[in-house]
mmCIF file of all heavy atoms in Angstrom:
data_model
loop_
_atom_site.group_PDB
_atom_site.id
_atom_site.type_symbol
_atom_site.label_atom_id
_atom_site.label_comp_id
_atom_site.label_asym_id
_atom_site.label_seq_id
_atom_site.Cartn_x
_atom_site.Cartn_y
_atom_site.Cartn_z
ATOM 1 N N LEU A 293 -19.765 13.451 -10.640
ATOM 2 C CA LEU A 293 -18.385 13.476 -10.664
ATOM 3 C C LEU A 293 -17.839 15.043 -10.518
ATOM 4 O O LEU A 293 -18.154 15.823 -11.281
ATOM 5 C CB LEU A 293 -17.581 12.869 -11.970
ATOM 6 C CG LEU A 293 -16.180 13.063 -11.994
ATOM 7 C CD1 LEU A 293 -15.455 12.240 -10.992
ATOM 8 C CD2 LEU A 293 -15.665 12.529 -13.440
ATOM 9 N N HIS A 294 -16.966 15.285 -9.553
ATOM 10 C CA HIS A 294 -16.460 16.654 -9.351
ATOM 11 C C HIS A 294 -14.950 16.646 -9.346
ATOM 12 O O HIS A 294 -14.325 15.860 -8.788
ATOM 13 C CB HIS A 294 -16.917 17.145 -7.990
ATOM 14 C CG HIS A 294 -18.221 17.017 -7.523
ATOM 15 N ND1 HIS A 294 -19.344 17.950 -7.890
ATOM 16 C CD2 HIS A 294 -19.049 15.990 -6.821
ATOM 17 C CE1 HIS A 294 -20.454 17.616 -7.364
ATOM 18 N NE2 HIS A 294 -20.350 16.338 -6.786
ATOM 19 N N ARG A 295 -14.477 17.586 -10.140
ATOM 20 C CA ARG A 295 -13.045 17.717 -10.233
ATOM 21 C C ARG A 295 -12.537 19.196 -9.829
ATOM 22 O O ARG A 295 -12.191 19.900 -10.710
ATOM 23 C CB ARG A 295 -12.560 17.417 -11.672
ATOM 24 C CG ARG A 295 -12.773 15.912 -11.987
ATOM 25 C CD ARG A 295 -12.270 15.724 -13.335
ATOM 26 N NE ARG A 295 -11.302 14.712 -13.367
ATOM 27 C CZ ARG A 295 -11.240 13.888 -14.480
ATOM 28 N NH1 ARG A 295 -11.993 14.079 -15.430
ATOM 29 N NH2 ARG A 295 -10.462 12.820 -14.336
ATOM 30 N N PRO A 296 -12.548 19.449 -8.543
ATOM 31 C CA PRO A 296 -12.251 20.863 -8.131
ATOM 32 C C PRO A 296 -10.773 21.250 -8.480
ATOM 33 O O PRO A 296 -9.958 20.296 -8.461
ATOM 34 C CB PRO A 296 -12.536 20.747 -6.473
ATOM 35 C CG PRO A 296 -12.341 19.390 -6.241
ATOM 36 C CD PRO A 296 -12.733 18.583 -7.415
ATOM 37 N N GLU A 297 -10.582 22.583 -8.660
ATOM 38 C CA GLU A 297 -9.267 22.898 -8.947
ATOM 39 C C GLU A 297 -8.661 23.727 -7.728
ATOM 40 O O GLU A 297 -7.457 24.177 -7.666
ATOM 41 C CB GLU A 297 -9.363 23.886 -10.187
ATOM 42 C CG GLU A 297 -9.547 22.995 -11.448
ATOM 43 C CD GLU A 297 -9.769 23.864 -12.660
ATOM 44 O OE1 GLU A 297 -9.596 25.041 -12.754
ATOM 45 O OE2 GLU A 297 -10.216 23.220 -13.639
ATOM 46 N N ARG A 298 -9.492 24.103 -6.762
ATOM 47 C CA ARG A 298 -9.052 24.789 -5.716
ATOM 48 C C ARG A 298 -9.770 24.179 -4.374
ATOM 49 O O ARG A 298 -10.863 23.683 -4.512
ATOM 50 C CB ARG A 298 -9.589 26.285 -5.648
ATOM 51 C CG ARG A 298 -8.711 27.067 -6.813
ATOM 52 C CD ARG A 298 -9.075 28.523 -6.852
ATOM 53 N NE ARG A 298 -10.580 28.610 -7.112
ATOM 54 C CZ ARG A 298 -11.112 28.610 -8.370
ATOM 55 N NH1 ARG A 298 -10.238 28.398 -9.350
ATOM 56 N NH2 ARG A 298 -12.321 28.801 -8.601
ATOM 57 N N ALA A 299 -9.034 24.365 -3.355
ATOM 58 C CA ALA A 299 -9.597 23.839 -2.045
ATOM 59 C C ALA A 299 -10.743 24.396 -1.701
ATOM 60 O O ALA A 299 -11.703 23.802 -1.120
ATOM 61 C CB ALA A 299 -8.582 23.992 -0.880
ATOM 62 N N SER A 300 -11.076 25.886 -2.186
ATOM 63 C CA SER A 300 -12.348 26.437 -1.685
ATOM 64 C C SER A 300 -13.477 25.785 -2.435
ATOM 65 O O SER A 300 -14.623 25.721 -2.009
ATOM 66 C CB SER A 300 -12.251 27.955 -2.083
ATOM 67 O OG SER A 300 -11.981 28.032 -3.557
ATOM 68 N N GLN A 301 -13.278 25.284 -3.618
ATOM 69 C CA GLN A 301 -14.347 24.369 -4.458
ATOM 70 C C GLN A 301 -14.652 23.126 -3.625
ATOM 71 O O GLN A 301 -15.802 22.764 -3.672
ATOM 72 C CB GLN A 301 -13.808 24.166 -5.735
ATOM 73 C CG GLN A 301 -13.832 25.464 -6.656
ATOM 74 C CD GLN A 301 -13.159 25.198 -7.994
ATOM 75 O OE1 GLN A 301 -12.229 24.427 -8.186
ATOM 76 N NE2 GLN A 301 -13.716 25.897 -8.988
ATOM 77 N N VAL A 302 -13.639 22.459 -3.119
ATOM 78 C CA VAL A 302 -13.893 21.236 -2.313
ATOM 79 C C VAL A 302 -14.832 21.571 -1.304
ATOM 80 O O VAL A 302 -15.874 20.835 -0.968
ATOM 81 C CB VAL A 302 -12.521 20.690 -1.668
ATOM 82 C CG1 VAL A 302 -12.819 19.420 -0.840
ATOM 83 C CG2 VAL A 302 -11.541 20.347 -2.849
ATOM 84 N N ALA A 303 -14.637 22.618 -0.581
ATOM 85 C CA ALA A 303 -15.448 22.949 0.628
ATOM 86 C C ALA A 303 -16.888 23.330 0.106
ATOM 87 O O ALA A 303 -17.895 22.856 0.698
ATOM 88 C CB ALA A 303 -14.975 24.282 1.262
ATOM 89 N N GLU A 304 -16.976 23.965 -1.031
ATOM 90 C CA GLU A 304 -18.391 24.204 -1.659
ATOM 91 C C GLU A 304 -19.171 23.017 -1.987
ATOM 92 O O GLU A 304 -20.216 22.830 -1.650
ATOM 93 C CB GLU A 304 -18.326 25.023 -2.905
ATOM 94 C CG GLU A 304 -18.305 26.471 -2.774
ATOM 95 C CD GLU A 304 -17.876 27.160 -4.099
ATOM 96 O OE1 GLU A 304 -18.345 26.788 -5.109
ATOM 97 O OE2 GLU A 304 -17.155 28.108 -3.955
ATOM 98 N N ILE A 305 -18.369 22.030 -2.613
ATOM 99 C CA ILE A 305 -18.964 20.773 -3.091
ATOM 100 C C ILE A 305 -19.485 19.927 -1.862
ATOM 101 O O ILE A 305 -20.595 19.404 -1.824
ATOM 102 C CB ILE A 305 -17.946 19.957 -3.890
ATOM 103 C CG1 ILE A 305 -17.683 20.706 -5.160
ATOM 104 C CG2 ILE A 305 -18.463 18.580 -4.152
ATOM 105 C CD1 ILE A 305 -16.339 20.211 -5.930
ATOM 106 N N VAL A 306 -18.620 19.754 -0.916
ATOM 107 C CA VAL A 306 -18.771 19.060 0.424
ATOM 108 C C VAL A 306 -20.120 19.637 1.058
ATOM 109 O O VAL A 306 -21.083 19.092 1.457
ATOM 110 C CB VAL A 306 -17.679 18.765 1.214
ATOM 111 C CG1 VAL A 306 -18.023 18.269 2.517
ATOM 112 C CG2 VAL A 306 -16.544 18.078 0.562
ATOM 113 N N GLY A 307 -19.989 21.038 1.255
ATOM 114 C CA GLY A 307 -21.170 21.724 1.992
ATOM 115 C C GLY A 307 -22.466 21.583 1.252
ATOM 116 O O GLY A 307 -23.442 21.328 1.978
ATOM 117 N N THR A 308 -22.440 21.681 -0.081
ATOM 118 C CA THR A 308 -23.762 21.455 -0.782
ATOM 119 C C THR A 308 -24.252 20.032 -0.670
ATOM 120 O O THR A 308 -25.355 19.788 -0.288
ATOM 121 C CB THR A 308 -23.447 21.943 -2.253
ATOM 122 O OG1 THR A 308 -22.931 23.196 -2.323
ATOM 123 C CG2 THR A 308 -24.739 21.775 -3.048
ATOM 124 N N ALA A 309 -23.219 19.132 -0.734
ATOM 125 C CA ALA A 309 -23.664 17.611 -0.678
ATOM 126 C C ALA A 309 -24.365 17.407 0.668
ATOM 127 O O ALA A 309 -25.363 16.666 0.781
ATOM 128 C CB ALA A 309 -22.416 16.773 -0.856
ATOM 129 N N HIS A 310 -23.730 18.035 1.736
ATOM 130 C CA HIS A 310 -24.218 17.834 3.048
ATOM 131 C C HIS A 310 -25.739 18.350 3.046
ATOM 132 O O HIS A 310 -26.518 17.648 3.692
ATOM 133 C CB HIS A 310 -23.272 18.521 3.955
ATOM 134 C CG HIS A 310 -23.631 18.161 5.454
ATOM 135 N ND1 HIS A 310 -23.073 18.919 6.576
ATOM 136 C CD2 HIS A 310 -24.343 17.187 6.052
ATOM 137 C CE1 HIS A 310 -23.563 18.363 7.622
ATOM 138 N NE2 HIS A 310 -24.320 17.428 7.331
ATOM 139 N N LYS A 311 -25.824 19.566 2.719
ATOM 140 C CA LYS A 311 -27.139 20.106 2.679
ATOM 141 C C LYS A 311 -28.210 19.324 1.964
ATOM 142 O O LYS A 311 -29.316 19.177 2.391
ATOM 143 C CB LYS A 311 -27.221 21.481 2.084
ATOM 144 C CG LYS A 311 -26.805 22.577 3.207
ATOM 145 C CD LYS A 311 -27.093 24.062 2.577
ATOM 146 C CE LYS A 311 -25.936 24.765 3.019
ATOM 147 N NZ LYS A 311 -25.327 25.527 1.948
ATOM 148 N N GLU A 312 -27.766 18.769 0.672
ATOM 149 C CA GLU A 312 -28.603 17.858 0.008
ATOM 150 C C GLU A 312 -28.678 16.446 0.387
ATOM 151 O O GLU A 312 -29.375 15.636 -0.293
ATOM 152 C CB GLU A 312 -28.220 18.067 -1.553
ATOM 153 C CG GLU A 312 -28.380 19.374 -1.977
ATOM 154 C CD GLU A 312 -27.868 19.469 -3.549
ATOM 155 O OE1 GLU A 312 -27.417 18.464 -4.118
ATOM 156 O OE2 GLU A 312 -27.851 20.601 -4.150
ATOM 157 N N GLN A 313 -28.072 16.104 1.506
ATOM 158 C CA GLN A 313 -28.069 14.753 2.044
ATOM 159 C C GLN A 313 -27.484 13.783 0.988
ATOM 160 O O GLN A 313 -27.958 12.686 0.884
ATOM 161 C CB GLN A 313 -29.345 14.375 2.581
ATOM 162 C CG GLN A 313 -29.892 15.273 3.686
ATOM 163 C CD GLN A 313 -31.243 14.841 4.170
ATOM 164 O OE1 GLN A 313 -31.857 13.973 3.639
ATOM 165 N NE2 GLN A 313 -31.463 15.290 5.412
ATOM 166 N N ARG A 314 -26.400 14.191 0.297
ATOM 167 C CA ARG A 314 -25.861 13.246 -0.678
ATOM 168 C C ARG A 314 -24.437 12.870 -0.031
ATOM 169 O O ARG A 314 -23.832 13.511 0.790
ATOM 170 C CB ARG A 314 -25.449 14.018 -1.964
ATOM 171 C CG ARG A 314 -26.690 14.680 -2.478
ATOM 172 C CD ARG A 314 -26.226 15.383 -3.842
ATOM 173 N NE ARG A 314 -25.802 14.462 -4.739
ATOM 174 C CZ ARG A 314 -26.548 13.758 -5.557
ATOM 175 N NH1 ARG A 314 -27.866 13.655 -5.385
ATOM 176 N NH2 ARG A 314 -25.944 12.856 -6.491
ATOM 177 N N LYS A 315 -24.031 11.649 -0.460
ATOM 178 C CA LYS A 315 -22.776 11.183 0.027
ATOM 179 C C LYS A 315 -21.712 11.579 -0.911
ATOM 180 O O LYS A 315 -21.853 11.558 -2.139
ATOM 181 C CB LYS A 315 -22.721 9.548 0.094
ATOM 182 C CG LYS A 315 -23.881 9.007 0.784
ATOM 183 C CD LYS A 315 -23.736 9.081 2.317
ATOM 184 C CE LYS A 315 -24.952 8.482 2.985
ATOM 185 N NZ LYS A 315 -25.164 9.305 4.315
ATOM 186 N N VAL A 316 -20.437 11.902 -0.398
ATOM 187 C CA VAL A 316 -19.325 12.250 -1.258
ATOM 188 C C VAL A 316 -18.116 11.355 -1.007
ATOM 189 O O VAL A 316 -17.763 11.160 0.196
ATOM 190 C CB VAL A 316 -18.907 13.649 -1.024
ATOM 191 C CG1 VAL A 316 -17.760 14.061 -1.997
ATOM 192 C CG2 VAL A 316 -19.926 14.633 -1.095
ATOM 193 N N LYS A 317 -17.622 10.734 -2.001
ATOM 194 C CA LYS A 317 -16.372 9.904 -1.762
ATOM 195 C C LYS A 317 -15.262 10.441 -2.459
ATOM 196 O O LYS A 317 -15.354 10.427 -3.792
ATOM 197 C CB LYS A 317 -16.621 8.460 -2.064
ATOM 198 C CG LYS A 317 -15.587 7.472 -1.656
ATOM 199 C CD LYS A 317 -15.747 7.180 -0.123
ATOM 200 C CE LYS A 317 -14.665 6.427 0.503
ATOM 201 N NZ LYS A 317 -13.699 7.145 1.360
ATOM 202 N N VAL A 318 -14.189 10.794 -1.843
ATOM 203 C CA VAL A 318 -13.028 11.272 -2.579
ATOM 204 C C VAL A 318 -12.164 9.980 -2.958
ATOM 205 O O VAL A 318 -12.015 9.139 -2.123
ATOM 206 C CB VAL A 318 -12.149 12.222 -1.803
ATOM 207 C CG1 VAL A 318 -11.804 11.780 -0.373
ATOM 208 C CG2 VAL A 318 -10.949 12.766 -2.542
#
Side-chain angles (χ1 to χ4, degrees):
L293 173 62
H294 308 274
R295 291 183 129 145
E297 288 170 13
R298 288 182 298 281
S300 58
Q301 289 174 326
V302 174
E304 270 168 43
I305 293 162
V306 172
T308 307
H310 189 192
K311 268 190 227 127
E312 294 177 0
Q313 299 185 343
R314 302 178 66 77
K315 308 284 177 214
V316 185
K317 192 76 186 109
V318 54

